[in-house]
Structures are given as structure tokens and as C-alpha cells.
């Protein structure tokens, strides 16, 4: 660990001690809001304190083992304990460094998943459907719930566009690197000559913000259209114009919802997603301005960036943001086995953040 990172850890340890004193102060205890805020901060620093305590014990174990090595009869045992203590210290050093990576407060929350067909006609829509099923199956493996809010099926399968809400603890932390353009190379089902085509679909991952109610939208900036639902709903479908389409005129953002039976419920859900999208756009602009060089551009929602290629002839997936990130496991990944990809991208993000911290920025 670099001296800069070590100093940051020491500062966090000192802050925790300060918080411990403050939380025992009668003036703080009597102020519910301040006590709650300081308690939350204290709890967030608990893993750092525990890891530092573990490190101190490991250093003590190492010193004891080195002292024991002076005894010829215990030298062999001491060597084993020295190796174990050094390995433990290495593990703790890495764990402490990761604890310095700023935690995204949105990580534990839900998200909106938007998948749209790009270039490639019918094949792009089919590929968009493949991507949506991949994410839906991954969500199922994680025990998350997927609620389709609007969809526009392709003529030969898949989707021209599909929007869903993914509900589950940690959903955003696991899928936030998926925004961008996904490209597929394969022989389409609609191709009669057996030629390989290249098509694309865009994915946007938008966190469902808790503070969307703070987003103020001028009603004059909205155009609200109603239409008949095309999805499930039994006899209610196509009898009333319960589906809602809202266009935010200043930005051109369009959201739709058709899953509820009442127009009012669909409007509420559509407005919530619109606010989340506008809030995420603003935050993404700020993040991009502060971190133009970051490879993963976390949360940028930049759908123009080609992030990944799915090559069916070679059975591989290549993520273009990370050097050497190619997996020859295409069939399993498309059935929702995304853990290898997600873990690697998370690790790369943490490495980027640690490098930035080490530079003192």
C-alpha cells in the first residue's frame, strides 16, 4: 500500500475515534438528526476499524513468530507461522485498500433497464431480445424481480424497445457497467445465404433514485399522450387508453408505461422513471466532467460507446473497455451467467479508483 493510501486509512481511523466521542456527548445524543447522521457514518467506518484491528493482530503474530525463530527447536514451526502471517498481512493490505474506494450510495438500489434495437433491422431487434432475456435470467439467479414497464416487439421476434424495472438489493452495483452499445456477429435467422451479419443494440442502466421527489418538472415542459395497451391485462387490454407516453420537451426524453390497468397508475410510474432518468443524466454529466479518463465511465449511460462484442462463430464475448477481457463462454453468458463479467468489471473499477486515490486526487 502506498504512503498516500496509508495516510487516508489513518485519517479514517482518527475520524472513527472522533465519532465515538461525539456519540457519547449528551448534546449530540439529544439531537436526533445529528445523532442519526453520525451513527450512520460511524457504522460505515466499522469495516475499516475491524480490518485495521485484524492487521495489528497479524503484525503482532508475525513479530512473535520471528522472535520464536531464535529458538532452534522451534525454527521450523516459526517459519510456517511467519509465512501464514505474511500471507494474512498481504490479504489485509488488499482488503484495506478496497475499503478506501468511495462507495456509490446508489449501489444497493433498484434500476431501470432499457434495451433498444440499433443498426441491423430485424436481427437487431432479435439481439435486443436476447440481451433482455440475458439480464432477466441473471436477475432471476440473483433473486431480483423484473417488471416490464413498456415494450415494442420486433416483427420477427425480440424487441425494438423494452423497458423494465429491476428490483433487488445490489441490483445497480452489479449491472451499472452494462450501459453502452452491444454488438453481435452471427448468421441471423432471417439470413438465407448463411452470411455473418453485424448488428447492435443499446443498453441503458438508470438507477432508481430515492430522491426523485426532489426533481421539479414544469408541467408545461411535458407532452402526455395516451394509447391502448398492447401487453397483458386480459379483457381490459385494448378497451381503454390506459397506457401513458410522456415526452420531456426540453431534453427530448420519452418514457412510456403500459403495465398497469389504470391510466393514473401508469402515469405515476412513468413520471417516476422520467425523474430518475433526468436526475441520472445530470449526475452523469457531472461525473463525466470529473473523470473523463476513466475507462468504464460508470453510470455515464453513454449508449454511443461500443462496449462489448458477442461473436457467435467464435463463441466469445469481448469487452472493449478492459484489455484482455475475452471470455469463450457465450452460450452460458447469454443464459444469465454474468458473474465472471460483472466481477472482472467491478475489479477493474476498483483498480481505477485506487490508482486515482494513490495519486492523491
Amino acid at each position: 500500500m502506498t504512503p498516500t493510501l496509508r495516510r487516508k486509512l489513518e485519517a479514517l481511523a482518527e475520524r472513527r475515534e472522533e465519532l465515538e466521542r461525539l456519540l457519547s456527548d449528551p448534546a449530540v445524543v439529544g439531537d436526533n438528526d445529528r445523532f442519526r447522521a453520525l451513527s450512520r457514518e460511524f457504522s460505515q467506518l466499522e469495516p475499516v476499524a475491524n480490518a485495521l484491528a485484524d492487521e495489528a493482530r497479524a503484525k503482532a503474530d508475525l513479530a512473535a513468530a520471528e522472535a520464536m525463530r531464535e529458538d532452534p527447536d522451534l525454527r521450523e514451526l516459526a517459519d510456517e507461522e511467519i509465512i501464514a502471517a505474511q500471507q494474512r498481512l498481504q490479504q489485509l493490505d488488499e482488503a484495506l485498500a478496497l475499503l478506501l474506494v468511495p462507495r456509490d450510495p446508489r449501489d444497493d438500489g433498484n434500476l431501470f433497464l432499457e434495451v433498444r434495437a440499433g443498426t441491423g433491422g430485424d436481427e437487431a431487434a432479435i439481439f435486443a431480445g436476447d440481451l433482455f432475456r440475458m439480464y432477466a435470467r441473471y436477475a432471476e439467479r440473483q433473486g431480483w424481480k423484473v417488471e416490464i414497464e413498456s415494450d415494442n416487439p420486433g416483427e420477427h421476434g425480440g424487441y425494438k424497445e423494452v423497458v423494465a424495472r429491476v428490483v433487488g438489493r445490489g441490483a445497480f452495483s452489479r449491472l451499472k457497467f452494462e450501459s453502452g452499445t452491444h454488438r453481435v456477429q452471427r448468421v441471423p435467422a432471417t439470413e438465407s445465404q448463411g452470411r455473418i451479419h453485424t448488428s447492435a443494440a443499446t443498453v441503458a442502466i438508470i438507477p432508481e433514485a430515492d430522491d426523485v421527489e426532489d426533481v421539479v418538472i414544469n408541467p408545461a415542459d411535458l407532452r402526455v399522450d395516451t394509447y391502448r395497451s398492447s401487453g397483458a391485462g386480459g379483457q381490459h387490454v385494448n378497451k381503454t387508453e390506459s397506457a401513458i407516453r410522456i415526452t420531456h420537451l426540453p431534453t427530448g426524453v420519452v418514457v412510456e408505461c403500459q403495465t398497469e390497468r389504470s391510466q393514473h397508475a401508469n402515469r405515476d410510474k412513468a413520471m417516476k422513471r422520467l425523474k430518475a432518468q433526468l436526475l441520472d443524466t445530470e449526475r452523469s454529466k457531472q461525473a463525466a466532467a470529473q473523470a473523463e479518463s476513466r475507462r468504464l465511465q460508470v453510470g455515464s449511460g453513454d449508449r454511443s460507446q461500443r462496449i462489448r462484442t458477442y461473436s457467435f462463430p467464435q463463441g466469445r464475448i469481448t469487452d472493449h473497455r478492459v484489455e484482455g477481457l475475452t471470455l469463450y463462454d457465450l452460450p452460458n453468458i447469454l443464459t444469465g451467467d454474468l458473474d465472471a463479467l460483472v466481477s472482472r468489471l467491478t475489479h477493474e473499477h476498483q483498480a481505477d479508483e485506487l490508482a486515482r486515490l494513490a495519486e492523491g486526487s
Side-chain angles (χ1 to χ4, degrees):
M1 186 183 299
T2 66
T4 300
L5 294 182
R6 178 60 62 175
R7 285 194 296 271
K8 291 181 184 292
L9 274 175
E10 292 170 354
L12 290 177
E14 292 173 1
R15 175 58 178 168
R16 184 180 178 278
E17 292 177 3
E18 180 185 9
L19 289 170
E20 194 168 17
R21 291 192 297 270
L22 287 171
L23 289 171
S24 62
D25 185 336
V28 174
V29 175
D31 185 339
N32 288 336
D33 290 340
R34 190 180 181 202
F35 183 80
R36 189 181 304 110
L38 293 178
S39 296
R40 188 182 303 114
E41 185 182 355
F42 182 84
S43 177
Q44 291 172 347
L45 292 177
E46 193 72 15
V48 175
N50 292 338
L52 285 171
D54 289 342
E55 184 186 51
R57 284 191 289 270
K59 287 180 177 179
D61 291 342
L62 178 60
E66 289 173 341
M68 188 170 62
R69 199 174 186 280
E70 300 299 321
D71 187 335
D73 295 333
L74 299 176
R75 185 166 297 167
E76 185 174 346
L77 176 61
D79 286 341
E80 294 178 0
E81 294 193 5
I82 287 172
I83 292 174
Q86 289 174 335
Q87 290 176 341
R88 177 62 175 156
L89 281 170
Q90 177 63 32
Q91 293 171 351
L92 287 168
D93 190 74
E94 295 174 358
L96 281 165
L98 290 179
L99 287 172
L100 286 172
V101 174
R103 186 178 181 278
D104 189 333
R106 305 171 298 174
D107 275 353
D108 287 338
N110 307 325
L111 59 91
F112 294 106
L113 165 66
E114 302 181 355
V115 184
R116 293 179 174 84
T119 57
D122 291 333
E123 168 61 8
I126 294 171
F127 178 50
D130 293 340
L131 288 177
F132 179 74
R133 282 188 292 275
M134 176 181 75
Y135 293 126
R137 288 169 179 168
Y138 180 67
E140 182 181 356
R141 289 170 180 243
Q142 304 300 314
W144 304 334
K145 184 179 179 181
V146 178
E147 304 169 347
I148 294 181
E149 297 215 336
S150 66
D151 64 341
N152 183 4
E155 294 180 7
H156 293 85
Y159 296 99
K160 294 178 181 177
E161 173 183 292
V162 58
V163 177
R165 179 171 177 252
V166 181
V167 181
R169 184 174 179 82
F172 183 70
S173 68
R174 302 295 288 173
L175 292 178
K176 62 184 177 181
F177 303 110
E178 295 301 304
S179 289
T181 297
H182 297 239
R183 185 179 67 169
V184 64
Q185 296 172 331
R186 65 182 174 189
V187 178
T190 55
E191 167 60 50
S192 59
Q193 303 298 320
R195 294 171 296 186
I196 295 175
H197 287 222
T198 298
S199 303
T202 62
V203 174
I205 302 295
I206 301 169
E208 183 183 65
D210 293 330
D211 50 354
V212 290
E213 297 306 320
D214 297 335
V215 179
V216 178
I217 298 178
N218 186 345
D221 290 338
L222 301 179
R223 185 178 71 237
V224 181
D225 300 308
T226 60
Y227 60 100
R228 294 180 180 179
S229 300
S230 59
Q235 296 178 349
H236 181 74
V237 171
N238 292 331
K239 287 190 176 181
T240 62
E241 293 191 342
S242 59
I244 289 287
R245 179 184 299 110
I246 300 177
T247 303
H248 185 245
L249 300 175
T251 61
V253 173
V254 179
V255 294
E256 297 179 351
C257 187
Q258 59 178 332
T259 56
E260 302 299 323
R261 293 174 62 89
S262 77
Q263 187 181 112
H264 178 73
N266 280 327
R267 182 187 175 97
D268 284 347
K269 293 183 74 172
M271 281 299 296
K272 186 174 183 179
R273 184 154 62 88
L274 174 62
K275 289 182 177 181
Q277 190 156 334
L278 293 176
L279 185 61
D280 183 60
T281 299
E282 183 59 33
R283 286 174 173 169
S284 297
K285 288 179 181 177
Q286 297 172 2
Q290 296 168 358
E292 293 181 359
S293 63
R294 291 167 68 188
R295 289 172 293 162
L296 298 180
Q297 288 294 306
V298 180
S300 69
D302 183 1
R303 303 177 212 179
S304 64
Q305 179 191 17
R306 189 192 71 182
I307 65 167
R308 194 174 296 152
T309 295
Y310 303 70
S311 175
F312 276 70
Q314 298 178 355
R316 66 168 172 82
I317 286 184
T318 298
D319 195 292
H320 304 290
R321 297 165 294 179
V322 180
E323 184 177 356
L325 181 45
T326 295
L327 301 176
Y328 290 88
D329 195 23
L330 181 58
N332 287 327
I333 290 174
L334 285 175
T335 59
D337 188 5
L338 291 175
D339 284 332
L341 268 174
V342 169
S343 296
R344 179 67 184 277
L345 290 168
T346 300
H347 178 77
E348 291 293 330
H349 167 61
Q350 292 171 337
D352 284 350
E353 289 295 303
L354 283 175
R356 184 178 62 82
L357 287 169
E359 292 170 358
S361 59

Short mmCIF file of all heavy atoms in Angstrom, two decimals, residues 58 62 80-94:
data_model
loop_
_atom_site.label_atom_id
_atom_site.label_comp_id
_atom_site.label_asym_id
_atom_site.label_seq_id
_atom_site.Cartn_x
_atom_site.Cartn_y
_atom_site.Cartn_z
N ALA A 58 -2.27 -9.38 13.11
CA ALA A 58 -1.40 -10.12 12.19
C ALA A 58 0.06 -9.67 12.33
O ALA A 58 0.98 -10.49 12.26
CB ALA A 58 -1.89 -9.96 10.76
N LEU A 62 3.21 -11.93 13.47
CA LEU A 62 4.45 -12.01 12.70
C LEU A 62 5.66 -11.73 13.59
O LEU A 62 6.67 -12.45 13.52
CB LEU A 62 4.40 -11.01 11.54
CG LEU A 62 5.66 -10.93 10.66
CD1 LEU A 62 5.95 -12.29 10.02
CD2 LEU A 62 5.49 -9.86 9.59
N GLU A 80 6.77 -21.61 9.41
CA GLU A 80 5.41 -21.81 8.91
C GLU A 80 4.49 -20.66 9.35
O GLU A 80 3.67 -20.17 8.56
CB GLU A 80 4.86 -23.15 9.42
CG GLU A 80 5.58 -24.36 8.86
CD GLU A 80 5.04 -25.67 9.44
OE1 GLU A 80 4.11 -25.60 10.27
OE2 GLU A 80 5.55 -26.75 9.07
N GLU A 81 4.64 -20.26 10.61
CA GLU A 81 3.79 -19.18 11.12
C GLU A 81 4.14 -17.83 10.49
O GLU A 81 3.27 -16.99 10.29
CB GLU A 81 3.90 -19.11 12.65
CG GLU A 81 3.34 -20.34 13.34
CD GLU A 81 3.18 -20.13 14.84
OE1 GLU A 81 3.42 -19.00 15.31
OE2 GLU A 81 2.81 -21.10 15.53
N ILE A 82 5.41 -17.64 10.17
CA ILE A 82 5.82 -16.41 9.50
C ILE A 82 5.19 -16.31 8.12
O ILE A 82 4.66 -15.26 7.73
CB ILE A 82 7.36 -16.33 9.39
CG1 ILE A 82 7.97 -16.04 10.76
CG2 ILE A 82 7.79 -15.27 8.38
CD1 ILE A 82 9.49 -16.13 10.81
N ILE A 83 5.23 -17.42 7.39
CA ILE A 83 4.62 -17.44 6.05
C ILE A 83 3.12 -17.16 6.14
O ILE A 83 2.57 -16.36 5.37
CB ILE A 83 4.88 -18.80 5.36
CG1 ILE A 83 6.37 -18.95 5.04
CG2 ILE A 83 4.04 -18.90 4.08
CD1 ILE A 83 6.74 -20.31 4.50
N ALA A 84 2.45 -17.80 7.11
CA ALA A 84 1.00 -17.60 7.27
C ALA A 84 0.68 -16.15 7.63
O ALA A 84 -0.26 -15.56 7.10
CB ALA A 84 0.47 -18.55 8.35
N ALA A 85 1.49 -15.57 8.52
CA ALA A 85 1.25 -14.18 8.94
C ALA A 85 1.50 -13.21 7.78
O ALA A 85 0.76 -12.24 7.61
CB ALA A 85 2.15 -13.83 10.12
N GLN A 86 2.52 -13.47 6.97
CA GLN A 86 2.80 -12.60 5.83
C GLN A 86 1.69 -12.67 4.79
O GLN A 86 1.30 -11.65 4.21
CB GLN A 86 4.14 -12.99 5.21
CG GLN A 86 5.35 -12.64 6.08
CD GLN A 86 6.65 -13.17 5.51
OE1 GLN A 86 6.67 -14.15 4.75
NE2 GLN A 86 7.75 -12.54 5.89
N GLN A 87 1.17 -13.87 4.57
CA GLN A 87 0.06 -14.02 3.63
C GLN A 87 -1.19 -13.29 4.14
O GLN A 87 -1.90 -12.64 3.38
CB GLN A 87 -0.24 -15.51 3.41
CG GLN A 87 0.84 -16.25 2.64
CD GLN A 87 0.56 -17.73 2.53
OE1 GLN A 87 -0.23 -18.29 3.28
NE2 GLN A 87 1.22 -18.39 1.57
N ARG A 88 -1.42 -13.40 5.46
CA ARG A 88 -2.57 -12.72 6.05
C ARG A 88 -2.42 -11.21 5.93
O ARG A 88 -3.39 -10.51 5.61
CB ARG A 88 -2.68 -13.14 7.52
CG ARG A 88 -3.80 -12.44 8.29
CD ARG A 88 -5.14 -12.76 7.72
NE ARG A 88 -6.22 -12.19 8.53
CZ ARG A 88 -7.42 -11.90 8.08
NH1 ARG A 88 -7.71 -12.11 6.79
NH2 ARG A 88 -8.34 -11.39 8.87
N LEU A 89 -1.23 -10.71 6.14
CA LEU A 89 -0.99 -9.27 6.02
C LEU A 89 -1.19 -8.78 4.59
O LEU A 89 -1.71 -7.69 4.36
CB LEU A 89 0.42 -8.92 6.50
CG LEU A 89 0.61 -8.85 8.02
CD1 LEU A 89 2.09 -8.74 8.38
CD2 LEU A 89 -0.17 -7.67 8.60
N GLN A 90 -0.79 -9.59 3.62
CA GLN A 90 -0.99 -9.24 2.22
C GLN A 90 -2.48 -9.15 1.90
O GLN A 90 -2.94 -8.23 1.22
CB GLN A 90 -0.31 -10.26 1.32
CG GLN A 90 -0.51 -10.03 -0.18
CD GLN A 90 0.09 -8.71 -0.65
OE1 GLN A 90 1.09 -8.26 -0.11
NE2 GLN A 90 -0.54 -8.10 -1.65
N GLN A 91 -3.25 -10.12 2.39
CA GLN A 91 -4.69 -10.13 2.16
C GLN A 91 -5.35 -8.90 2.81
O GLN A 91 -6.21 -8.25 2.21
CB GLN A 91 -5.31 -11.41 2.74
CG GLN A 91 -4.89 -12.68 2.01
CD GLN A 91 -5.32 -13.93 2.74
OE1 GLN A 91 -5.79 -13.88 3.88
NE2 GLN A 91 -5.16 -15.08 2.11
N LEU A 92 -4.91 -8.58 4.03
CA LEU A 92 -5.49 -7.44 4.73
C LEU A 92 -5.11 -6.12 4.06
O LEU A 92 -5.89 -5.17 4.05
CB LEU A 92 -5.03 -7.44 6.19
CG LEU A 92 -5.67 -8.50 7.08
CD1 LEU A 92 -4.94 -8.62 8.41
CD2 LEU A 92 -7.15 -8.17 7.32
N ASP A 93 -3.89 -6.07 3.51
CA ASP A 93 -3.46 -4.86 2.81
C ASP A 93 -4.36 -4.60 1.61
O ASP A 93 -4.80 -3.46 1.37
CB ASP A 93 -2.01 -5.03 2.35
CG ASP A 93 -1.42 -3.73 1.83
OD1 ASP A 93 -1.11 -2.86 2.65
OD2 ASP A 93 -1.27 -3.60 0.60
N GLU A 94 -4.69 -5.65 0.86
CA GLU A 94 -5.58 -5.51 -0.29
C GLU A 94 -6.99 -5.15 0.16
O GLU A 94 -7.66 -4.30 -0.46
CB GLU A 94 -5.59 -6.81 -1.10
CG GLU A 94 -4.24 -7.14 -1.73
CD GLU A 94 -4.22 -8.50 -2.39
OE1 GLU A 94 -5.26 -9.20 -2.32
OE2 GLU A 94 -3.18 -8.88 -2.96
#
